[in-house]
Amino acid sequence: MMESQRSGCPINLSLEVIGDKWSLLVIRDMMFGNRRHFRELLLGSEEGIASNILADRLQRLVDQGLISRAPHPTHKQKVVYSLTEPAIQLVPVLVALGSWGRRHLPVSRELAIRAELLERGGPEMWDAFMDELREQHLGIRRRDGARSVLAELREAYLAEVAAAAAVAAESAAVEPASERAARR
């Protein structure tokens, strides 16, 4: 797994696996965006990851056992990436990072809503989300009628995007004609 370790400290060892600039963002996009293919991860990256960096991180995450790679069932040239159980168990870590970021950094409302909902939902919601991820990525069936946390988070995100667009449209509509003319 790891060639050399700086120490046996669990925080250090965790950071050696997921402490670079991109690894947790790739895992985040697989969790919250249900992105499972290279192209989806590349084009859907909010932060604009470069293709060579993405390829490197995906390989590192496979090597570390956080994601798996399998041939696409219907397309010979594609692969499907899946979260493994250790990655799924990072949900509380991502919730804590999102909560900390919401409190201390200038986040955008639409990108912070999922962190807010997960923080408010607490461990019960996290467990339901992890069960949903296990079903999607590991094929472990959930009980019938189980809630879709992913759908709840997606709906909240889309509502915030729509609200932000409405505010922007309203601002543009009330902008004085002289300011619009000055920009032309």
Side-chain angles (χ1 to χ4, degrees):
M1 206 180 236
M2 285 179 267
E3 293 177 17
S4 66
Q5 303 167 346
R6 293 180 293 207
S7 77
C9 169
I11 294 172
N12 169 67
L13 293 173
S14 298
L15 289 174
E16 286 184 14
V17 174
I18 57 172
D20 66 89
K21 186 176 178 178
W22 294 105
S23 292
L24 278 178
L25 297 178
V26 170
I27 290 170
R28 175 206 63 191
D29 288 351
M30 291 179 72
M31 276 185 186
F32 297 102
N34 196 26
R35 298 182 187 127
R36 310 277 302 272
H37 301 94
F38 184 88
R39 189 164 182 78
E40 292 172 339
L41 289 160
L42 182 66
L43 298 177
S45 170
E46 188 76 30
E47 294 77 18
I49 190 169
S51 61
N52 62 322
I53 300 294
L54 176 58
D56 179 71
R57 289 319 178 276
L58 288 169
Q59 188 58 55
R60 283 188 194 187
L61 292 168
V62 167
D63 292 345
Q64 295 294 338
L66 291 172
I67 63 174
S68 63
R69 175 188 161 123
H72 191 281
T74 61
H75 195 289
K76 292 179 183 178
Q77 295 177 329
K78 280 187 170 183
V79 297
V80 177
Y81 293 97
S82 297
L83 298 169
T84 62
E85 183 62 27
I88 290 168
Q89 290 180 16
L90 287 170
V91 165
V93 173
L94 291 173
V95 171
L97 282 170
S99 297
W100 184 88
R102 279 186 347 94
R103 283 192 294 279
H104 300 290
L105 300 170
V107 299
S108 66
R109 177 77 185 143
E110 62 272 12
L111 294 177
I113 189 62
R114 292 176 283 217
E116 179 183 330
L117 293 177
L118 285 163
E119 182 178 6
R120 283 193 318 218
E124 182 181 320
M125 186 179 208
W126 310 344
D127 287 342
F129 185 42
M130 289 189 288
D131 285 345
E132 187 172 2
L133 291 171
R134 286 180 186 105
E135 183 173 63
Q136 289 178 338
H137 293 267
L138 305 176
I140 299 171
R141 287 192 43 89
R142 295 181 291 160
R143 62 176 169 72
D144 289 340
R147 77 193 271 196
S148 174
V149 174
L150 190 57
E152 292 173 37
L153 298 175
R154 185 179 304 118
E155 287 171 22
Y157 167 74
L158 293 174
E160 289 297 331
V161 168
V167 167
E170 185 178 304
S171 295
V174 297
E175 180 181 26
S178 61
E179 287 182 28
R180 284 194 300 268
R183 284 196 319 234
R184 292 183 197 161

